[in-house]
Amino acid sequence: MFKLIPRRSLIIYINNNRVIRALRHYGQIDYISRRMHYVVMYVDQSDVEKVKEKISRLRAVKKVELSARPDLDPTLADLELTGVYQLHDEDDKK
C-alpha cells in the first residue's frame, strides 16, 4: 500500500539562478523566487542533514535554512498567553 514519508522543507538562498538545475538532484523543488534569489525545496526527513551539508558546499549557494514550520505548535488556543498577541485598548475584552 501507499506509505507516507516524512519530509522537511529547506530554504536555500542562492547567488544566481544557474544553480537551480543542480538543486533538482537533491530533492523536490516547490517554489523558485528568481527575483529574491531563493528556492524552497522538500527533502526526506532522514536525509536532511546530509543534503543540507551537500547543498551548502555548492558554489552559488549563500546559505541553507531549515523550515521552522514543523517546530511550531499548531494548537495555539490562547495567543495572549503565549506572548504572540497582546490585547490593546481597541480590542473587545470579554
Side-chain angles (χ1 to χ4, degrees):
M1 196 78 203
F2 183 71
K3 182 179 175 185
L4 287 177
I5 299 172
R7 298 190 309 164
R8 184 79 183 246
S9 178
L10 295 175
I11 295 95
I12 304 160
Y13 295 95
I14 57 177
N15 287 329
N16 59 29
N17 293 325
R18 295 170 114 194
V19 74
I20 294 170
R21 193 175 316 140
L23 290 175
R24 291 185 178 147
H25 298 289
Y26 297 103
Q28 181 181 359
I29 294 178
D30 186 50
Y31 180 75
I32 300 169
S33 174
R34 296 187 189 280
R35 195 171 125 238
M36 300 294 288
H37 296 288
Y38 72 90
V39 176
V40 178
M41 172 198 260
Y42 284 101
V43 180
D44 292 344
Q45 182 67 40
S46 59
D47 300 334
V48 168
E49 291 302 321
K50 256 193 319 189
V51 171
K52 183 179 174 185
E53 184 180 323
K54 286 181 182 179
I55 290 174
S56 63
R57 281 194 236 143
L58 292 175
R59 183 178 251 172
V61 172
K62 289 182 192 175
K63 67 178 177 177
V64 180
E65 292 182 355
L66 289 174
S67 173
R69 185 169 185 197
D71 302 330
L72 298 175
D73 184 18
T75 59
L76 290 176
D78 193 3
L79 295 175
E80 188 178 3
L81 289 176
T82 60
V84 174
Y85 180 75
Q86 297 174 352
L87 283 176
H88 297 287
D89 294 337
E90 300 88 24
D91 295 334
D92 294 331
K93 295 184 181 181
K94 294 181 181 180

